């Protein structure tokens, strides 16, 4: 690495992360990079991994480089074995990566055994401890057959015992495989114990370069002062939560004032409301008269409409979301789709019901179509947000491993987005049970029709019974989705 400077573009001017950094590393040695937070260590690693180009100077690396990120960037829901196999994606075709070749699987298993995880091959990475996840990340890096292994703070989040074990493992692997090892280490004692050579960065400058175990010759006299800090603004800070409480208190006080100013006594209106509520509760005689069978059929119809509408909407929403997601489809296609979706979502479900009653006539079909139309707009939004949310770390890391777009989708985006999908479909189902119960008011099927008749005829006790049935249905759907969510997450 010769005279390397790296500047990140910033809102005003640029942030110089590294300046005039110059060093060479002997093949097969272990170099530790130390320095305070923000001194440019991770930027240096990104340069060595060829994921950033220097603003000036040259970075020359002989051989293949594998990098272990500070935050690992594994796919949390995938197994240890699957994560290690991701290291092979760069040399496999898409078809091969759907069912990994036996030779690659055998290699991945051997690597996991070597790093001490032979007994956790099929454990999802999210169930592993920090030390175990670090071992998976090391095995994934080795799966790329590197000549140079870069490890950014491989032990920062581990207890001292685990940290020493991981450092020893890295050292042993270096010797076995004749790797050049470059680590970023916070702990100087660890650097002394394990590295051949220690570099120290400060505010982007290489300020020390020494053989481990020897005193430090300073390269440049005094370290430059840290780059400009943030200006702390003065004044009395009011916490956000306090402001929110004050705003709510103000709103309550104002509505109280409005009620006081309204003609007719508040007390009278309150008593009237209580009397009305009492009429919703049926007497025993009224209960005996209610046509339970008809109401049960209407309730089941309502649930069927909700389920059908939700499932169909999810099926339509999935490809739409893939088109709208920024990390899957180019923005010039996705952006117009998003705008149309925004307009689409502005239409309430009851309005969709009116439109479909006009188009296909009275009945449950119109209701189902209304629910499909309405929930499709929301599910598409939830889905593309899930796709985009899943992108970040793991998919980015897979790109670095050489995975193609479709490979990233199958191995990182899809498994990470799946629980979010399931969650939003369940949420939509709950919503649709409630929506389906009112669509009948405009003739689009379901129990809303009975509700409207009961209101029209002032059969308040029937209204009360229907509302109670709906509450039970919502509680049932809620328990079901709680149960389902626990199984998917
Ligand atoms: P370290 O790993 O030593 O903590 P980094 O290399 O992450 O330091 O960061 C060095 C400097 O570069 C910091 O001032 C940081 O804010 C800045 N920096 C790092 N990454 C970016 C980026 N992607 N864009 C802009 N500035 C960045
Ligand atoms: Mg860092």
């Amino acid at each position: 690495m010769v005279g390397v400077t790296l500047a990140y573009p910033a809102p005003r001017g640029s942030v110089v992360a590294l300046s005039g950094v110059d060093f060479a590393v002997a093949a097969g040695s272990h170099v530790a990079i130390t320095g305070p937070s923000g001194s440019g260590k991770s930027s240096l690693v990104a340069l060595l991994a060829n994921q950033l180009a220097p603003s000036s100077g040259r970075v020359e690396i002989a051989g293949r480089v594998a990098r272990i990120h500070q935050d690992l960037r594994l796919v949390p829901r995938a197994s240890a074995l699957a994560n290690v196999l991701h290291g092979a994606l760069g040399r496999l075709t898409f078809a091969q990566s759907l069912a990994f070749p036996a030779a690659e699987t055998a290699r991945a298993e051997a690597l996991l055994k070597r790093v001490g995880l032979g007994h956790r091959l099929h454990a999802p990475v999210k169930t592993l401890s920090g030390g175990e996840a670090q071992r998976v990340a090391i095995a994934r890096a080795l799966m790329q057959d590197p000549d140079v292994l870069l490890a950014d703070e491989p032990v920062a989040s581990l207890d001292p015992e685990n940290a020493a074990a991981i450092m020893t493992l890295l050292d042993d692997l270096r010797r076995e495989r004749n790797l050049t090892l470059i680590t970023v280490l916070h702990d100087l004692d660890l650097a002394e114990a394990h590295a051949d050579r220690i570099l120290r960065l400060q505010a982007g400058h290489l300020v020390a370069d020494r053989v481990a175990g020897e005193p430090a010759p300073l390269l440049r006299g005094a370290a430059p002062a840290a780059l400009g800090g943030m200006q702390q603004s003065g004044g009395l800070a009011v916490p956000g939560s306090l402001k929110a409480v004050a705003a709510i208190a103000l709103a309550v006080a104002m509505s109280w004032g409005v009620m006081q100013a309204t003609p007719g006594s508040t007390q009278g209106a309150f008593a009237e409301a209580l009397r009305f509520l009492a009429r919703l509760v049926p007497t025993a005689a009224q209960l005996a008269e209610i046509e339970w069978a008809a109401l049960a059929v209407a309730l089941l119809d309502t649930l069927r409409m909700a389920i059908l509408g939700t499932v169909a909407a999810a099926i339509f929403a999935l490809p739409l979301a893939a088109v709208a997601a920024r990390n899957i489809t180019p923005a010039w296609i996705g952006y117009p789709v998003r705008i149309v979706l925004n307009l689409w979502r502005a239409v309430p479900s009851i309005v969709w019901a009116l439109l479909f009653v006009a188009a296909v006539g009275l009945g449950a079909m119109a209701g189902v179509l209304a629910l499909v139309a309405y929930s499709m707009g929301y599910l598409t939004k939830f889905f593309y947000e899930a796709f985009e949310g899943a992108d970040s770390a793991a998919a980015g890391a897979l790109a670095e491993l050489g995975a193609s777009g479709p490979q990233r989708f199958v191995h990182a985006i899809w498994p990470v987005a799946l629980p979010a999908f399931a969650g939003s479909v369940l949420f939509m189902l709950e919503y649709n049970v409630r929506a389906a119960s009112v669509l009948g008011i405009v003739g689009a099927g379901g129990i809303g029709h009975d509700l409207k008749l009961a209101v029209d005829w002032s059969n308040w006790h029937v209204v009360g019974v229907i509302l109670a049935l709906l509450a039970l249905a919502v509680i049932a759907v809620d328990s079901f989705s709680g149960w389902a969510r626990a199984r998917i997450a």
Side-chain angles (χ1 to χ4, degrees):
M1 168 169 280
V2 186
V4 162
T5 294
L6 174 73
Y8 290 109
R12 267 165 295 170
S14 61
V15 177
V16 179
L18 295 168
S19 52
V21 173
D22 222 315
F23 66 90
V25 174
S29 67
H30 177 181
V31 173
I33 303 168
T34 64
S37 253
S39 57
K41 306 183 295 297
S42 293
S43 303
L44 186 55
V45 168
L47 283 174
L48 293 170
N50 199 22
Q51 268 125 37
L52 282 179
S55 311
S56 65
R58 267 181 307 123
V59 179
E60 281 167 21
I61 299 227
R64 213 196 316 267
V65 182
R67 168 190 192 183
I68 301 168
H69 284 272
Q70 194 167 344
D71 54 358
L72 305 186
R73 306 195 185 175
L74 300 166
V75 180
R77 286 168 50 81
S79 68
L81 185 60
N83 270 282
V84 176
L85 279 166
H86 292 164
L89 286 177
R91 53 177 179 265
L92 299 178
T93 64
F94 180 67
Q96 283 175 320
S97 73
L98 292 178
F100 285 95
E104 298 286 7
T105 310
R107 273 200 61 201
E109 285 183 6
L111 280 172
L112 276 169
K113 287 192 184 119
R114 175 63 192 86
V115 299
L117 284 180
H119 58 300
R120 312 283 332 245
L121 295 180
H122 302 288
V125 160
K126 66 173 180 177
T127 65
L128 299 179
S129 72
E132 289 171 331
Q134 184 62 247
R135 289 167 195 269
V136 174
I138 292 171
R140 180 174 79 175
L142 295 178
M143 194 70 184
Q144 299 172 74
D145 274 328
D147 303 297
V148 179
L149 183 59
L150 304 172
D152 195 350
E153 311 236 8
V155 298
S157 53
L158 302 181
D159 57 76
E161 218 165 288
N162 257 311
I166 291 286
M167 287 311 298
T168 305
L169 173 65
L170 284 172
D171 269 342
D172 292 347
L173 289 168
R174 168 171 70 102
R175 274 184 224 105
E176 281 164 30
R177 299 169 166 254
N178 196 26
L179 295 169
T180 305
L181 179 60
I182 301 182
T183 54
V184 172
L185 295 174
H186 237 96
D187 184 338
L188 263 180
D189 291 338
L190 274 182
E192 293 283 357
H194 293 273
D196 305 313
R197 190 170 145 207
I198 301 176
L199 303 181
R200 183 164 179 80
L201 282 175
Q202 204 154 328
H205 294 267
L206 194 56
V207 293
D209 181 353
R210 65 192 166 88
V211 174
E214 288 179 7
L218 273 188
L219 292 185
R220 285 178 187 76
L227 300 173
M230 295 282 280
Q231 284 281 313
Q232 207 67 35
S233 65
L236 187 68
V238 181
S241 53
L242 213 63
K243 286 185 198 162
V245 170
I248 292 171
L250 188 67
V252 169
M254 277 169 60
S255 33
W256 180 250
V258 170
M259 271 169 69
Q260 294 298 324
T262 313
S265 87
T266 323
Q267 261 184 346
F270 192 64
E272 187 64 30
L274 274 186
R275 265 198 299 280
F276 176 75
L277 279 182
R279 274 190 284 169
L280 290 178
V281 181
T283 62
Q286 285 172 329
L287 272 184
E289 278 170 20
I290 283 177
E291 294 176 44
W292 291 103
L295 279 190
V297 168
L299 188 66
L300 282 181
D301 268 351
T302 311
L303 288 176
R304 278 218 308 260
M305 283 165 60
I307 293 171
L308 207 60
T310 310
V311 170
I315 292 171
F316 289 124
L318 203 55
L320 264 178
V323 172
R326 278 184 246 264
N327 54 341
I328 299 176
T329 307
W332 62 268
I333 305 176
Y335 196 67
V337 174
R338 282 167 183 247
I339 291 183
V340 172
L341 281 169
N342 282 331
L343 296 174
W344 194 272
R345 278 198 302 276
V347 182
S349 52
I350 195 96
V351 175
W352 283 118
L354 282 169
L355 293 176
F356 280 115
V357 165
V360 302
L362 291 172
M365 182 49 118
V368 171
L369 290 174
L371 292 178
V372 171
Y374 181 78
S375 3
M376 204 173 73
Y378 275 94
L379 283 180
T380 306
K381 180 180 163 73
F382 293 151
F383 286 2
Y384 72 64
E385 281 175 354
F387 276 142
E388 288 174 356
D391 178 45
S392 50
L398 255 56
E400 288 175 16
L401 295 170
S404 65
Q407 284 178 334
R408 288 204 295 280
F409 181 82
V410 170
H411 293 281
I413 299 179
W414 178 252
V416 175
L418 198 56
F421 287 169
S424 35
V425 171
L426 289 169
F427 167 81
M428 214 63 227
L429 178 65
E430 272 180 63
Y431 174 86
N432 280 342
V433 168
R434 263 166 280 153
S437 66
V438 294
L439 294 186
I441 292 174
V442 297
I447 204 165
H449 182 63
D450 305 76
L451 189 61
K452 181 169 187 300
L453 284 181
V455 171
D456 286 349
W457 294 91
S458 297
N459 278 333
W460 300 115
H461 62 286
V462 178
V463 173
V465 166
I466 291 176
L467 290 180
L469 287 176
L470 283 174
L472 285 178
V474 168
I475 290 171
V477 171
D478 180 57
S479 331
F480 166 74
S481 63
W483 173 86
R485 250 178 263 242
R487 255 142 212 85
I488 297 160

